[in-house]
Amino acid sequence: MKDTVESGITHVYHFADPLAWKHAQNSGVYAPEGLSSEGFIHAATHEQIEGVVDRHLRGHGPRIQLTLDCLALSDILQWEWSNAGGDLYPHVFGPIPLAAVIESVPFDPDQP
């Protein structure tokens, strides 16, 4: 199931590899390896962060937490069902323009 709008959500989050984020600073867009291999960039709502960290990020080193503006992502932001998470998750189907990134902060998934 794909939807372009998830009611009331204005921001979603992505946990970038620091090297990929550094490359984005030079290129003007964030296009991690997963975009090529999976066809989209994983994201999460604020409420989904804890589950995403537990299932996918622990033990994989520090990340950069990107806060993304849903309106700026426009139609490249789609909501799809995840059996693993049991919820609709935001997926970004294209490179993320830096203008859509509201904030970027260091994030260590192994810290409480």
Side-chain angles (χ1 to χ4, degrees), residues 75-89:
D75 61 348
I76 65 170
L77 177 63
Q78 302 286 320
W79 296 83
E80 297 186 307
W81 183 258
S82 166
N83 288 331
D87 200 358
L88 286 173
Y89 278 79

Side-chain angles (χ1 to χ4, degrees), residues 9-29:
I9 296 177
T10 58
H11 302 98
V12 295
Y13 304 87
H14 173 73
F15 297 91
D17 176 84
L19 291 176
W21 180 240
K22 184 176 181 178
H23 179 72
Q25 305 306 297
N26 296 323
S27 68
V29 295

Side-chain angles (χ1 to χ4, degrees), residues 9-16 30 32 34-35 38-53 55-57 64-70 73 76-82 85 87-94 96 100:
I9 296 177
T10 58
H11 302 98
V12 295
Y13 304 87
H14 173 73
F15 297 91
Y30 175 70
L35 179 59
E38 296 184 69
F40 62 88
I41 300 168
H42 292 270
T45 65
H46 187 267
E47 293 77 19
Q48 295 168 334
I49 290 174
E50 185 177 339
V52 167
V53 169
R55 285 189 304 278
H56 304 290
L57 299 176
I64 305 297
Q65 180 178 309
L66 305 180
T67 303
L68 308 174
D69 181 345
C70 292
L73 293 172
I76 65 170
L77 177 63
Q78 302 286 320
W79 296 83
E80 297 186 307
W81 183 258
S82 166
D87 200 358
L88 286 173
Y89 278 79
H91 292 155
V92 182
F93 285 84
I96 297 172

